[in-house]
Amino acid sequence: IVAVDYRAVTAPVGIVRFSEIFLACVAFSLVAHVGHIAASYWAWCMFTWCFCFAVTVLILLLEFTGLHAKIPISWDDFTTAFAMLATLMVFTASIIYPSFYIHSHNSYAIAATIMSILCFTAYTAEVVLTRAKPGEISGFLSTVPGLLKVLEAFVACIIFISLSFDKHNAGLNWCVAVYSLCFIFSLVIIVFTICRLIALFPFSFDKVLTGYNILAVLMYVTAAVIWPLYSFQNNPRPNKCPFPCTWDKLVVVTFMTYFNLIVYIVDTVYSVRFVFFVSPA
């Protein structure tokens, strides 16, 4: 029997989700009207708006009908992780799309950008409303370390859509391996948390997480040195380089590598502090 829960649509989070659905729908509709562009960044922006729209509709429907309680996952972790991911995705789409694809003051593209920025604001509000407060009992993904895991995986996705390099270069291949391995491990942690599989670990999850974070920092340090060294050595920006060209994408990957390194360092500090200074002996 389906039990309708009107609080899912009348509570502050429900109202925010309605605005997210409307704004994302308007954004991708306006961009679709402008026309398709065969480029990875355009595809990323379009995927972002469509994906966020579809998942938010699904979440709202499941909560409204009460069916979310029958799904064997940590629902709070799932919705919090998605809200954080959607915030990051829409934020980047709100920067990438106008930077690359607004030409000649196209009114539809400008309107789509405005809708995307408002959508980002709505998802940010949802993160604020659902994030765990100090002293509150909640799932891992509702805490700062959990949100950092989502951020790490997201930054890796931005790196992946920007990759354009010499595949015969062993140094750059090592960097891609670092990005891929760290992304996979972060994704596994997120999935295990949402699916409530952490209890199946035969050892301390917190200590495993700390060891992984330390290893990820060391791996990203090597990538932070090797990627710019092999990418820009004897490789100045070409004079004829339409924006964004391959060289520009190398810069994006470099910046995101350093950014993710900082995120992993912060994550490691949180983990070490929790395991060695907060956990009971």
Side-chain angles (χ1 to χ4, degrees), residues 133-183:
K133 308 301 186 293
E136 186 177 83
I137 298 176
S138 61
F140 171 71
L141 294 180
S142 299
T143 64
V144 173
L147 295 176
L148 288 174
K149 276 285 163 280
V150 177
L151 178 58
E152 291 159 4
F154 168 76
V155 173
C157 290
I158 298 299
I159 290 175
F160 293 145
I161 66 171
S162 303
L163 284 176
S164 182
F165 65 101
D166 178 9
K167 295 178 175 58
H168 300 290
N169 189 309
L172 298 182
N173 282 326
W174 162 254
C175 294
V176 174
V178 169
Y179 305 141
S180 302
L181 289 173
C182 292
F183 169 76

Side-chain angles (χ1 to χ4, degrees), residues 125-227:
E126 183 180 348
V127 172
V128 172
L129 289 171
T130 58
R131 191 180 71 83
K133 308 301 186 293
E136 186 177 83
I137 298 176
S138 61
F140 171 71
L141 294 180
S142 299
T143 64
V144 173
L147 295 176
L148 288 174
K149 276 285 163 280
V150 177
L151 178 58
E152 291 159 4
F154 168 76
V155 173
C157 290
I158 298 299
I159 290 175
F160 293 145
I161 66 171
S162 303
L163 284 176
S164 182
F165 65 101
D166 178 9
K167 295 178 175 58
H168 300 290
N169 189 309
L172 298 182
N173 282 326
W174 162 254
C175 294
V176 174
V178 169
Y179 305 141
S180 302
L181 289 173
C182 292
F183 169 76
I184 291 170
F185 281 121
S186 293
L187 193 61
V188 166
I189 290 171
I190 293 170
V191 171
F192 269 53
T193 302
I194 292 174
C195 295
R196 297 174 176 171
L197 299 175
I198 300 301
L200 300 180
F201 273 61
F203 24 70
S204 171
F205 173 71
D206 295 325
K207 291 181 180 178
V208 170
L209 199 59
T210 302
Y212 158 69
N213 286 336
I214 293 172
L215 179 61
V217 167
L218 295 175
M219 293 174 69
Y220 257 88
V221 166
T222 64
V225 174
I226 294 173
W227 181 269

